[in-house]
Amino acid sequence: MKKSKAVIAKTPAELAKALGLTHEHGAELEFRSNLNSKIVDIVARKRLTHNQVAKLARTSRTRVTAIMNRHTKDISTHPY
């Protein structure tokens, strides 16, 4: 069995390159990561509950919980 070499990616751009993604996909990955980090930071700083964030954002608590846990694969960044 052939051993695989570990790759360490410190930035979304490095991860995109390691995965063989296009520049556009890498930029989207970085955008989504930065957006998610900002949301998590603001919610923590303001000490908001997931339910409070859901009401403010007019979305479900389930969706907010997914975002807070960085499970955003099925969450669009497009407005509509």
Side-chain angles (χ1 to χ4, degrees):
M1 179 181 241
K2 188 176 180 180
K3 289 186 178 182
S4 58
K5 183 179 175 184
V7 175
I8 298 173
K10 295 181 181 180
T11 67
E14 289 176 2
L15 177 60
K17 184 177 179 183
L19 294 173
L21 300 175
T22 64
H23 176 71
E24 290 79 16
H25 283 111
E28 181 180 357
L29 182 67
E30 186 169 16
F31 171 79
R32 291 174 65 91
S33 175
N34 291 340
L35 178 61
N36 207 155
S37 293
K38 287 282 188 186
I39 292 169
V40 171
D41 289 345
I42 290 168
V43 171
R45 191 169 6 109
K46 293 187 177 258
R47 297 181 177 182
L48 297 170
T49 66
H50 293 189
N51 198 46
Q52 289 171 320
V53 174
K55 285 181 181 178
L56 289 168
R58 296 183 183 148
T59 192
S60 70
R61 187 197 49 76
T62 303
R63 184 175 300 247
V64 170
T65 299
I67 292 168
M68 297 302 293
N69 291 325
R70 298 186 177 276
H71 298 149
T72 60
K73 178 183 170 217
D74 296 323
I75 297 175
S76 174
T77 56
H78 300 283
Y80 300 100

